[in-house]
Amino acid sequence: MAPLSGPGVGKSRLGSNRGGNPMRLAIILCVVSIVLFTISCRDGGTGPLSAVRGGFTLITTPVRVVGAVVSTPFTGVGNVVSNLTADQETLSDLKAKNSELQAKVVELTESSQDSSRYEKLLELKNSYNLQSTGARRISGSTDTWSDTITIDKGSSSGLAVGMPVCDQNGIIGQISECGLTSSVVRLITDEGSSVSAMIQSSRAQGMLVGQPDGSLSLTLVGTDQQVAVGDTVITSGLGGVYPKGLPIGTVTSVEKSSGALYYTINVQLFNTSNTFEEVIVITSLTEDQQATSEDAAAADALDAAAASSAASVATPVTQEAATTQTSQETTQGEGE
């Protein structure tokens, strides 16, 4: 039988071959890709494929750098053109959104600072087991002759005159006036303020008093006691007003004058900014927060020792004055 021939038959075979070539090419490329991928995973970055890839990257790097440099001005111009062509409504929306975000940032920052102060106040309260209530500062001194603040709680919240007040760093003063819904706190830097205090390390006791310039002095500390710059000053608990052991500040200077019975000691508060916003008012003292009888006896012993020293210093001076007077009288008698 004669083979088929003719134009139709040739076109059919040609079409069949053309239809099969793309499929075979896709299969071959897939196989090559899998093989190359497998080799690339196994060579650990040191095989021939990695070398080829590194060389290609090295060759094309200058081209990419030049392309980035060339395209940067066009990108900036595109942004400028986009901003210039934006309608007024879009710009207004963006400004409003920006203002809203800025307000949100301020709000979150303020909340974070409030939270930090509250945590420190709570830490102080828990560390010293303080029976207290919280309050907020609402104003400062109303005149130049006193150093006070006003807080937003009074007798209706159980507060009373004489109650100690702390900020997050320690003692700051005590209530001097108490209204129904607000109270005035005299700060310990006020000239009329005094706090029984002691040096934490040596237990040397004295009286912390405010000065006209707003500074603090620790008085009545005998020169036979151990005091040094940097020592921490705490409440002694004597007098039953302030809890024993609460932090106040640090010693900044110690002076000992010739023949003096007491040191001249300056103290700086832990809170030097005087910008406290929240405080806690100590409403009552527990038994372990009060000075013990031993503390009172030690304070009395120090006072007695200071008085004895003063007497021993004064006695020779008196005797010397009497001797001088007798000598003068004898000389005058002889002259007569």
Side-chain angles (χ1 to χ4, degrees), residues 178-196:
C178 188
L180 185 63
T181 59
S182 64
S183 300
V184 176
V185 179
R186 177 186 289 116
L187 303 180
I188 60 177
T189 51
D190 185 87
E191 186 177 1
S193 175
S194 61
V195 180
S196 295

Side-chain angles (χ1 to χ4, degrees), residues 24-56:
R24 285 197 299 271
L25 180 62
I27 294 173
I28 292 172
L29 292 176
C30 288
V31 173
V32 172
S33 298
I34 294 173
V35 171
L36 292 177
F37 178 76
T38 303
I39 295 174
S40 176
C41 291
R42 291 182 176 182
D43 67 1
T46 58
L49 287 180
S50 297
V52 172
R53 185 164 56 249
F56 180 78

Side-chain angles (χ1 to χ4, degrees), residues 313-326:
V313 170
T315 299
V317 173
T318 304
Q319 291 177 348
E320 181 180 356
T323 302
T324 302
Q325 183 178 359
T326 303

Side-chain angles (χ1 to χ4, degrees), residues 197-206 218 220-222 225-227 231-238 244-246 288 290-292 294-295 298-299 302:
M198 64 181 175
I199 304 298
Q200 187 176 38
S201 57
S202 65
R203 318 307 286 182
Q205 300 190 28
L218 184 60
L220 304 179
V221 178
Q225 300 296 308
Q226 296 295 323
V227 184
D231 283 347
T232 298
V233 180
I234 61 175
T235 53
S236 66
L238 294 174
K244 179 181 178 180
L246 284 180
D288 60 343
Q290 301 178 21
T292 62
E294 289 80 5
D295 295 330
L302 290 175

